Amino acid sequence: MYIEQAFKGLIDSWRYILGIVGIVIVWQFLGAFPLLAALATKEGGMSAMMSGNITEMSNVLGSNTFLFFMLLTFVFGLIAVFLVVKFIHKQSLQSLTTSRKKIDWKRVSFSFILWSTISVAFIFLDIYLSPEDYEFNFQLVPFLVLAVIAIAMIPLQTSMEEYLMRGYMMQGLGIITKNRWFPLLFTSLLFGMLHIMNPEVDKLGYGILIFYIGTGLFLGIITLMDEGLELALGFHAANNLTAALLVTADWTAFSVDSLYRDVSEPVLGWDMLVPVFVVFPILLLVFSKKYGWTNWKDKLTGKVLSKEEFFKLENLDNG
């Protein structure tokens, strides 16, 4: 009963409208101010800022500095989500995170380790099979700076996206529409569309949105089936962290001092689509077996309980 956890706070529609507006203002405007201020002090920074081109801004500031300021916007966003939930909805962080009595950090760790292992294996397999597509890019000091920034801040970035999409919006839309399928599909589509300005889309075409929307759908499914955000939090952090540290390219959002640089001609190939249509379904089976998921249809497409029904079941469970 993850969506119904919203009943533990205040659920008026105006609160969600005010909350979303507040989060966007803090995330996209206040959060971007340090980045804009840093660009304004550099030669060519104003033109890069006006263009909105991520590659140009990264070139002006340096990849690691730009990464820090870009991730800082998400830190502002995460703080905004937590403040909105606490002060506008009077809801606890625990009930925003999970339907369990406490946050299950073992689930976060398992998901993180599992996807990190798979991601690293896929990356090095591709390097082994197509060595001509990669250059060894290791430089000790820039890589160490990258590692510190990435390890400290990427989990905050991915957590902000999860708490906003699969947490706040999933619960709010579920309460408003009184079903599970709409928030699942809407947040998946929105998650994909938020990546439409990424450099990858410009290079690979709109077909890459299949990967982003598919990833959002996968994260939404594991959130609803597992009745909490823990697996999604671990998976998303592992995905972005391994990508940032191991492989970069001039045309990606994370164009940084990674271990390897992809120098191949960017094309939308199997490596972008296999995760969505092969790997993610297998992971759903793995999670399902480990955590004993059942009743898929009702959990993914069924109706959301009323407030009275939810608290009646809560009282029975506690009794």
Side-chain angles (χ1 to χ4, degrees):
M1 295 186 290
Y2 174 66
I3 287 177
E4 288 87 347
Q5 296 300 308
F7 288 130
K8 294 181 177 179
L10 303 177
I11 57 169
D12 310 84
S13 296
W14 67 264
R15 295 179 189 273
Y16 283 104
I17 295 171
L18 180 62
I20 289 294
V21 171
I23 291 167
V24 170
I25 290 174
V26 173
W27 173 28
Q28 293 292 310
F29 294 95
L30 295 182
F33 183 78
L35 171 61
L36 300 180
L39 284 168
T41 64
K42 297 289 186 178
E43 183 179 352
M46 293 301 294
S47 60
M49 185 193 313
M50 295 302 293
S51 73
N53 187 292
I54 290 177
T55 302
E56 286 186 30
M57 290 188 283
S58 180
N59 289 337
V60 168
L61 291 177
S63 60
N64 283 334
T65 303
F66 175 72
L67 178 67
F68 171 80
F69 283 114
M70 183 179 72
L71 294 175
L72 187 61
T73 65
F74 289 90
V75 176
F76 275 77
L78 182 62
I79 293 171
V81 172
F82 289 166
L83 291 177
V84 162
V85 170
K86 179 176 176 61
F87 292 106
I88 295 181
H89 295 275
K90 310 296 184 182
Q91 184 183 357
S92 69
L93 176 59
Q94 177 184 315
S95 62
L96 180 67
T97 308
T98 186
S99 61
R100 284 167 274 277
K101 296 186 183 301
K102 61 181 181 179
I103 298 172
D104 189 345
W105 294 105
K106 289 183 178 180
R107 275 174 154 83
V108 179
S109 299
F110 175 75
S111 182
F112 180 90
I113 293 170
L114 177 63
W115 188 239
S116 294
T117 303
I118 294 171
S119 295
V120 170
F122 272 129
I123 289 170
F124 281 106
L125 176 63
D126 197 48
I127 293 172
Y128 175 76
L129 294 175
S130 305
E132 69 280 2
D133 290 342
Y134 296 90
E135 287 181 353
F136 190 58
N137 190 55
F138 178 70
Q139 300 176 69
L140 180 60
V141 174
F143 181 79
L144 289 178
V145 173
L146 167 65
V148 170
I149 294 171
I151 292 170
M153 299 186 73
I154 284 180
L156 298 177
Q157 174 242 328
T158 56
S159 293
M160 185 270 168
E161 293 184 3
E162 290 310 308
Y163 274 108
L164 176 60
M165 294 288 168
R166 260 67 63 176
Y168 185 66
M169 293 189 70
M170 181 86 80
Q171 288 187 350
L173 288 169
I175 293 300
I176 292 168
T177 63
K178 298 180 174 57
N179 64 59
R180 301 174 189 278
W181 65 266
F182 181 81
L184 173 60
L185 294 181
F186 182 86
T187 56
S188 301
L189 288 169
L190 182 60
F191 180 76
M193 297 310 293
L194 286 176
H195 291 81
I196 200 167
M197 298 303 293
N198 281 18
E200 296 95 319
V201 177
D202 184 53
K203 286 291 183 180
L204 299 173
Y206 291 113
I208 188 62
L209 292 178
I210 295 173
F211 172 77
Y212 292 124
I213 294 171
T215 301
L217 183 62
F218 168 75
L219 292 168
I221 290 172
I222 62 176
T223 297
L224 291 180
M225 289 305 303
D226 200 50
E227 302 287 7
L229 278 178
E230 292 98 333
L231 295 179
L233 288 169
F235 176 95
H236 202 162
N239 186 74
N240 287 24
L241 194 56
T242 53
L245 292 177
L246 294 184
V247 179
T248 189
D250 295 334
W251 45 269
T252 63
F254 283 165
S255 183
V256 289
D257 296 300
S258 306
L259 198 60
Y260 286 89
R261 181 173 296 276
D262 185 343
V263 295
S264 64
E265 184 65 26
V267 293
L268 183 62
W270 66 269
D271 54 324
M272 298 291 182
L273 302 179
V274 164
V276 174
F277 295 107
V278 179
V279 181
F280 291 171
I282 293 174
L283 282 177
L284 288 176
L285 291 176
V286 171
F287 287 139
S288 175
K289 292 294 184 182
K290 181 171 178 62
Y291 297 112
W293 294 349
T294 58
N295 201 15
W296 289 65
K297 182 178 179 180
D298 185 60
K299 286 187 175 182
L300 298 180
T301 65
K303 74 179 186 71
V304 170
L305 298 179
S306 68
K307 188 173 184 177
E308 292 74 20
E309 291 171 328
F310 170 69
F311 281 113
K312 183 177 180 180
L313 286 177
E314 279 274 295
N315 292 333
L316 287 174
D317 290 341
N318 294 332

